[in-house]
Amino acid sequence: MSMELLYRLTESILSYILDTMATETQTSRAYEGIRSILLEGSLCAGTRLSDAMLTEKLKMSKVPIREALSRLSSEGLIEWRPNRGAFVPVYTPEEIIELYEMRTFIDPLAAMHATERANMRDIFGLREFVLLQEEIARKGEKTSPEDSEQHDRLEAALRETDTSFHLELLALSGNRQLNKLGSTVYIIRSLTYNSAPQTWLHGSTMAVSTAHARIVDAMEKRDPQGAAEAARE
């Protein structure tokens, strides 16, 4: 093999590798972007995830978006309908109950492992979520039920901080499979908000932040079992 031919072959291989890496990076960005949209919990079950809507939101071409949708479909986070495209899944009441049952196993395990691995900066980050929830709860107590716009805004903020707290706990666990499974559960929970809405203001908000505070307290004491028990409550 001549040096010129070897050079061209090497150049072709490198070009292929770089193109593949670029495509994978774009697909990963699209995947994370669509997951974030689903996590917002603002899309109703049955909403069509059109190419036009996703390209506008994510500022990228259709190819990585479609590859990301295919991956999300295999994980059960979106629903493909023949000749119609991708849709936000519709979950039955039985599936929603099963989802909440799974959390009773996932959350304590995540809290236990996170306590074993987290440093003080990580724990402080979780404490920030608790303080933010308490602040939102106080605003909720002062909000009139008739002020629907403010009520909806605070409700969305509470859901977001609760989900973020648990996703961070999963990430800190260091268990990739647990993180993957738990993240999927919380995304599906976000998708059920509109089909099975919960009213967190004027009721259970402070209870939620108190439960999260107990998890963080146990983590600060380096008490894995205590953190798991607090997450189980």
Side-chain angles (χ1 to χ4, degrees), residues 47-169:
T47 299
R48 183 168 180 264
L49 299 168
S50 68
D51 288 343
M53 183 267 282
L54 293 175
T55 54
E56 172 65 23
K57 279 183 172 289
L58 301 178
K59 308 300 182 186
M60 59 175 58
S61 67
K62 295 179 182 179
V63 174
I65 286 174
R66 288 176 177 173
E67 291 175 350
L69 287 172
S70 177
R71 180 178 168 187
L72 289 162
S73 176
S74 69
E75 295 175 358
L77 295 178
I78 66 162
E79 177 186 345
W80 276 111
R81 298 182 186 176
N83 303 317
R84 297 187 63 192
F87 289 78
V88 176
V90 178
Y91 296 98
T92 66
E94 291 76 15
E95 289 172 327
I96 294 174
I97 290 172
E98 290 172 356
L99 168 75
Y100 279 85
E101 288 178 346
M102 289 179 65
R103 287 187 57 207
T104 63
F105 297 98
I106 291 171
D107 289 347
L109 196 57
M112 181 177 70
H113 287 309
T115 303
E116 295 168 343
R117 294 174 56 88
N119 57 40
M120 289 308 298
R121 179 177 294 180
D122 298 327
I123 296 171
F124 178 77
L126 290 172
R127 179 73 70 185
E128 286 290 294
F129 284 121
V130 174
L131 295 175
L132 182 57
Q133 284 180 324
E134 292 174 351
E135 180 183 349
I136 296 170
R138 285 191 291 270
K139 289 182 180 179
E141 290 173 353
K142 299 175 182 177
T143 300
S144 168
E146 284 74 34
D147 189 350
S148 59
E149 185 175 338
Q150 175 71 347
H151 183 279
D152 291 346
R153 186 160 48 245
L154 292 173
E155 192 87 27
L158 283 171
R159 291 170 174 174
E160 182 180 349
T161 54
D162 179 70
T163 299
S164 296
F165 177 90
H166 287 284
L167 291 178
E168 182 65 15
L169 203 61

Side-chain angles (χ1 to χ4, degrees), residues 1 3-17:
M1 182 181 295
M3 291 300 296
E4 182 180 356
L5 181 59
L6 180 60
Y7 174 79
R8 289 179 179 175
L9 180 60
T10 302
E11 190 177 52
S12 297
I13 293 172
L14 286 173
S15 178
Y16 172 79
I17 291 173

Side-chain angles (χ1 to χ4, degrees), residues 30-51:
Y31 174 83
E32 293 300 332
I34 298 170
R35 273 171 59 101
S36 295
I37 293 171
L38 297 176
L39 270 170
E40 290 173 1
S42 58
L43 298 176
C44 294
T47 299
R48 183 168 180 264
L49 299 168
S50 68
D51 288 343

